Amino acid sequence: MKNFDYLEPKTVAEACALLKQHGNDAKVYAGGAHLTILMKQGLLEPKSLINIKKIAELKGIRFDASEGLLIGALVTHRELETSALVKEKFPVLCEAEREVANIRVRNVGTVGGNLASGEPLTDLSQIFIALDGEVKITGATMLRLMPVEELFVDFYTTSLAEDEILTQVVLPPLPPHSGIDYIRFSSSSVVDKPSVGVAVRLTLDNGTDTIQTARVVLGCVGATPVRARDAEASMTGKKLTPQFAEEAGSVASQECSPTSDLRGSENYKRAIVKTLVKRAALKAYERAKEI
Ligand SMILES: Cc1cc2nc3c(=O)[nH]c(=O)nc-3n(C[C@H](O)[C@H](O)[C@H](O)COP(=O)(O)OP(=O)(O)OC[C@H]3O[C@@H](n4cnc5c(N)ncnc54)[C@H](O)[C@@H]3O)c2cc1C
């Protein structure tokens, strides 16, 4: 690893000012789970590392009645997995986190780093998008709020500007009669990144079993997480049956761009998408009817 300057700002404003000052030569460092690997492999050689770990305003999980669940960028996978508040508001996140990586990565890797890396083989973004989540971003000169979906641009590329820090994930309260399920499939028997990850969220019309809003989000089958909008449309306005769920799965399997690699061929991954969308839709529907 090449030598680098190590900077430790105490506030987001200070961190953004440093990013602006150092430009392309600097990198934000959170848990380091992703960054350290790239630096050790010589794929990234920043002249300065800006460690944000001591910034208190980026920590913690809280619930605000109007905004929803607010997850600080520095919250680790493990904190999300074990938080009683998250379990109460969005148990799907705790369930998903149990399968993320391994305990070592979950102890250091942060939610902000997971999203800001733009890594395509991850889990959280699919769930956040299905929940209509947003991210708060602070730059040297402005603040912005954007849907999580718009953060992702390409493989390992996000819409964050050089001087910007992702500060918080905002998950709005779920409308009544909503259910969500996330299923990840890993083609390896050892702990591994997912090969396919599917989140389905369904919200029913008040007092009926008819689907009013559907979100189908596919992960690891393209450069970025993708909303399968035709699959969503195919379920909207219907009472879900196994046949409609299967049709939604077929439609979704054509709305992604998986690549053939060590985790499976393109056709194999499309078949997995089809099956997972069907299963997740039926489960989400069951959950929506319970509430
Ligand atoms: C072995 C292994 C297995 C894994 N398996 C999974 C898995 O199963 N599922 C899954 O979802 N993920 C998985 N991951 C990815 C892991 O979740 C992320 O690497 C981790 O969360 C990154 O967080 P970090 O804090 O360590 O980020 P860092 O490594 O510190 O940073 C990652 C990138 O994001 C930038 N960054 C970090 N925080 C911010 C911020 N707040 N604002 C702006 N930019 C920022 C950094 O500059 C860097 O470019 C795995 C990773 C490893 C190494």
Side-chain angles (χ1 to χ4, degrees):
M1 225 191 259
K2 290 220 170 139
N3 287 346
F4 51 83
D5 288 334
Y6 176 79
L7 305 162
E8 218 174 55
K10 298 281 186 307
T11 64
V12 171
E14 208 187 311
C16 293
L18 286 170
L19 282 171
K20 192 163 175 68
Q21 184 189 333
H22 292 270
N24 232 345
D25 291 336
K27 267 296 190 189
V28 171
Y29 183 94
H34 174 81
L35 202 55
T36 314
I37 294 174
L38 297 187
M39 289 174 67
K40 280 189 179 161
Q41 289 175 341
L43 295 168
L44 213 61
E45 295 178 338
K47 292 200 176 114
S48 314
L49 277 191
I50 300 180
N51 187 339
I52 58 172
K53 274 289 212 192
K54 295 214 169 133
I55 302 183
E57 59 201 288
L58 296 176
K59 297 182 183 177
I61 307 172
R62 62 189 176 87
F63 187 76
D64 175 276
S66 60
E67 276 191 288
L69 191 71
L70 304 170
I71 306 169
L74 284 178
V75 167
T76 62
H77 290 291
R78 183 72 176 147
E79 284 179 83
L80 209 55
E81 180 189 349
T82 55
S83 157
L85 182 60
V86 177
K87 193 172 177 193
E88 182 199 329
K89 302 294 179 191
F90 295 105
V92 65
L93 283 170
C94 304
E95 287 160 23
E97 280 289 7
R98 261 173 241 140
E99 291 189 73
V100 166
N102 53 49
I103 193 74
R104 280 175 57 213
V105 172
R106 294 208 293 278
N107 270 331
V108 294
T110 64
V111 171
N114 186 273
L115 298 178
S117 65
E119 143 96 70
L121 302 181
T122 54
D123 294 283
L124 295 180
S125 52
Q126 288 87 272
I127 304 173
F128 292 157
I129 295 169
L131 293 170
D132 290 342
E134 295 182 300
V135 279
K136 285 186 187 167
I137 295 166
T138 302
T141 53
M142 67 168 185
L143 286 171
R144 56 192 181 121
L145 183 69
M146 75 158 70
V148 174
E149 193 182 357
E150 291 175 20
L151 181 67
F152 301 100
V153 175
D154 206 339
F155 288 105
Y156 300 97
T157 310
T158 68
S159 52
L160 287 173
E162 241 168 49
D163 64 349
E164 285 184 324
I165 295 212
L166 192 159
T167 58
Q168 212 172 45
V169 175
V170 184
L171 301 178
L174 265 180
H177 313 295
S178 294
I180 178 165
D181 192 35
Y182 177 70
I183 312 178
R184 83 175 229 159
F185 174 81
S186 178
S187 50
S188 163
S189 57
V190 293
V191 175
D192 195 13
K193 296 181 178 178
S195 308
V196 177
V198 167
V200 178
R201 193 258 292 184
L202 301 175
T203 298
L204 309 184
D205 260 333
N206 210 358
T208 75
D209 289 347
T210 307
I211 297 169
Q212 180 198 68
T213 307
R215 293 281 180 272
V216 178
V217 191
L218 316 175
C220 322
V221 282
T224 65
V226 59
R227 258 185 69 188
R229 286 186 161 78
D230 291 341
E232 292 173 359
S234 78
M235 290 189 280
T236 307
K238 292 184 179 146
K239 292 187 191 330
L240 197 69
T241 61
Q243 189 203 330
F244 287 144
E246 181 151 355
E247 277 169 26
S250 290
V251 173
S253 71
Q254 298 309 311
E255 292 189 86
C256 51
S257 334
T259 44
S260 298
D261 57 24
L262 288 173
R263 289 181 165 79
S265 67
E266 178 193 334
N267 284 341
Y268 176 73
K269 290 182 191 173
R270 286 193 197 278
I272 299 291
V273 166
K274 180 178 168 184
T275 303
L276 297 194
V277 168
K278 177 183 177 183
R279 286 186 197 164
L282 289 170
K283 187 66 164 181
Y285 191 61
E286 217 175 272
R287 288 177 171 165
K289 285 198 291 184
E290 279 165 10
I291 300 170

